[in-house]
Amino acid sequence: IQGYCIGLGISIVGSCDICVAAENTEFVFREIDNGAIGGASQSLRMLSPQVVRYLMFTGGKISAKELFLKGGIPEVVPSSVSVLDRAREIASVIAQKDRRLLIDMKASMNGIEKNFQPEKDMHYEHGFTFQANIRGTASKMRKSFLSKPRIRTSKL
């Protein structure tokens, strides 16, 4: 993960078995500001409920280092190190392990973490986004969000 991780990006990270982030990465929880509800179940895999609520209710952000210190991601690499190269190194170590045992270990962990049902949870959250759209709240929030200056990540 490198740069900004926003919205669905956070959901993807929260669904991953392992992830590596660059030290300059920021995880941004802006759903409340753009009229959407989603990503809670995946975020709750990375952070305590109180921290997730704080970030989601305020539209806040958290740095990769802070997320690492809170146990949300296993590794942060300095900007001098390629995130992709480090991810490949980790994958190489895992690839040397017994495949069948890895499959069983993952199945065991998934069974223990049985309350994590990303598809079901996402549908549940999207139901609330649907209700916000019906009420007109989501549309109002999106218009306000889109009228504000954007974060620029590169020069065109």
Side-chain angles (χ1 to χ4, degrees):
I1 309 136
Q2 195 161 10
Y4 290 97
C5 187
I6 303 171
L8 184 57
I10 293 172
S11 295
I12 292 169
V13 171
S15 296
C16 289
D17 289 322
I18 300 169
C19 60
V20 178
E23 66 184 348
N24 67 337
T25 303
E26 288 191 339
F27 295 81
V28 185
F29 294 76
R30 292 285 193 255
E31 287 80 358
I32 192 82
D33 295 330
N34 67 27
I37 299 169
S41 66
Q42 292 86 356
S43 298
L44 288 166
R45 290 186 77 218
M46 299 185 292
L47 295 163
S48 71
Q50 292 79 12
V51 174
V52 170
R53 287 171 187 263
Y54 172 79
L55 292 167
M56 294 188 89
F57 291 172
T58 63
K61 61 184 174 180
I62 186 170
S63 70
K65 184 176 180 178
E66 289 176 282
L67 191 56
F68 169 78
L69 292 172
K70 293 180 183 304
I73 53 176
E75 190 166 337
V76 176
V77 297
S79 55
S80 60
V81 175
S82 165
V83 174
L84 186 56
D85 287 347
R86 181 61 187 131
R88 285 183 175 138
E89 289 172 8
I90 295 167
S92 177
V93 170
I94 294 170
Q96 295 174 31
K97 307 300 179 190
D98 182 84
R99 184 174 184 273
R100 185 66 235 175
L101 194 55
L102 279 169
I103 290 169
D104 290 343
M105 184 175 283
K106 181 167 171 58
S108 170
M109 293 170 131
N110 288 349
I112 291 167
E113 196 182 27
K114 60 185 166 265
N115 290 331
F116 179 62
Q117 300 173 346
E119 186 175 330
K120 179 182 172 221
D121 295 342
M122 190 178 293
H123 285 290
Y124 181 74
E125 289 176 317
H126 287 176
F128 287 96
T129 299
F130 176 77
Q131 291 297 320
N133 278 309
I134 295 294
R135 285 191 311 268
T137 308
S139 175
K140 182 176 91 177
M141 296 307 298
R142 267 191 305 279
K143 285 178 185 173
S144 172
F145 180 77
L146 293 172
S147 70
K148 295 177 183 170
R150 309 267 51 70
I151 297 170
R152 297 203 183 262
T153 57
S154 64
K155 294 181 180 180
L156 298 177

